[in-house]
């Protein structure tokens, strides 16, 4: 059972997400809260499998909550999916730096909401296709590229193929199908790449692929 915490200051949004998720046999909403302080407290107490966080919340916004629950200095980070809207896209990069493993548009619809939660739970975080495009445009800029450290060790040809597929938003299963690799092999390649580039998850790996210029090759 995938245990989910929902944090959003709009009661109707929380109710809607809860109804959609609780209707699934494999998902259980263990808490829904209206502000960031309660989100941090409940998340630390309940240790849900996935935290679904809105960006704009009172007392503590979703970006700060993400950092406290999934940041680089968190010993046992939780999996966070950030819920955003197009007018908040400027915050997506910060959410990524703060440890978010997935992004979802608020109006993405029930199917994508369910898949985002399931993907995050299995470590195969989903990014809304629309957000992916916006993210990639942001990361594929010359100023951003200057910040990129080279890998500690050169990536193999197969690792590059896997990273490029990841950066296009494919799941591990889709990557395996496209590249004729087993699921375990895809995961092994991704783990190896993350070690070489210092990424914590597949979203950071995808961002690195675009910011480093790898997608231009």
């Amino acid at each position: 059972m995938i245990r989910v915490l929902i944090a959003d200051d709009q009661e109707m949004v929380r109710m809607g997400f809860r109804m959609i998720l609780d209707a699934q046999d494999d998902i259980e909403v263990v808490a829904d809260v209206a502000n960031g302080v309660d989100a941090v407290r409940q998340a630390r107490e309940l240790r849900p499998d996935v935290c679904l966080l809105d960006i704009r919340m009172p007392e503590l916004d979703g970006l700060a909550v993400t950092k406290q629950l999934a940041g680089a200095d968190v010993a046992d980070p939780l999996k966070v999916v950030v819920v955003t809207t197009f007018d908040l896209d400027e915050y997506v990069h910060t959410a990524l730096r703060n440890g978010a493993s997935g992004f979802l548009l608020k109006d993405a619809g029930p199917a994508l909401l369910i898949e985002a939660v399931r993907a995050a739970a299995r470590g195969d975080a989903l990014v809304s296709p629309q957000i992916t495009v916006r993210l990639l445009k942001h990361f594929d800029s010359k100023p951003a590229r200057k910040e990129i450290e080279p890998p500690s060790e050169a990536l193999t040809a197969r690792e590059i193929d896997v990273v490029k597929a990841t950066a296009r938003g494919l799941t591990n299963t889709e990557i395996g199908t496209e590249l004729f690799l087993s699921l375990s092999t895809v995961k092994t390649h991704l783990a190896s790449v993350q070690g070489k580039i210092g990424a914590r998850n597949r979203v950071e790996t995808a961002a690195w692929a675009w910011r480093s210029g790898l997608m231009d090759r």
Side-chain angles (χ1 to χ4, degrees), residues 6-80:
I6 300 168
D8 194 297
D9 62 339
Q10 298 181 46
E11 185 178 2
M12 290 297 291
V13 172
R14 297 198 310 275
M15 288 177 59
F17 282 0
R18 179 183 274 276
M19 286 178 61
I20 292 167
L21 295 176
D22 273 343
Q24 309 306 307
D25 293 337
D26 59 336
I27 299 175
E28 175 190 9
V29 176
V30 294
D32 67 79
V33 298
N35 63 72
V37 172
D38 285 345
V40 172
R41 180 177 54 80
Q42 290 274 59
R44 287 175 174 168
E45 179 182 329
L46 298 172
R47 301 292 303 176
D49 299 302
V50 179
C51 299
L52 204 56
L53 306 179
D54 187 23
I55 289 182
R56 282 185 176 169
M57 290 188 292
E59 299 188 43
L60 201 64
D61 66 29
L63 301 176
V65 174
T66 299
K67 189 171 185 177
Q68 290 194 30
L69 298 180
D73 58 346
V74 177
D76 190 12
L78 292 168
K79 291 171 181 174
V80 171

Side-chain angles (χ1 to χ4, degrees), residues 71-199:
D73 58 346
V74 177
D76 190 12
L78 292 168
K79 291 171 181 174
V80 171
V81 174
V82 171
V83 182
T84 186
T85 54
F86 276 136
D87 65 330
L88 293 177
D89 273 356
E90 66 268 24
Y91 297 127
V92 172
H93 186 214
T94 301
L96 174 61
R97 290 202 315 267
N98 288 356
S101 58
F103 302 92
L104 184 73
L105 288 178
K106 218 163 195 175
D107 59 355
L112 201 54
L113 170 65
I114 294 164
E115 181 53 31
V117 168
R118 288 174 176 159
R122 65 176 181 261
D124 198 16
L126 178 146
V127 178
S128 291
Q130 303 98 314
I131 294 180
T132 301
V133 174
R134 302 284 284 259
L135 268 175
L136 302 188
K137 286 181 180 178
H138 175 80
F139 289 137
D140 193 23
S141 62
K142 291 179 181 177
R145 289 185 183 184
K146 292 178 183 177
E147 304 168 3
I148 296 301
E149 292 288 331
S152 60
E153 181 184 340
L155 272 60
T156 67
R158 211 48 167 160
E159 286 172 349
I160 290 173
D161 291 339
V162 171
V163 170
K164 284 185 173 181
T166 301
R168 286 168 30 226
L170 272 63
T171 66
N172 286 352
T173 301
E174 291 168 340
I175 293 171
T177 300
E178 181 174 286
L179 299 178
F180 303 102
L181 299 172
S182 69
L183 189 59
S184 62
T185 301
V186 172
K187 291 179 178 178
T188 298
H189 282 317
L190 273 176
S192 175
V193 170
Q194 287 175 12
K196 291 178 179 180
I197 66 176

Side-chain angles (χ1 to χ4, degrees), residues 199-210:
R200 289 172 294 169
N201 54 53
R202 68 188 296 109
V203 181
E204 288 188 1
T205 301
W208 175 87
W210 285 93

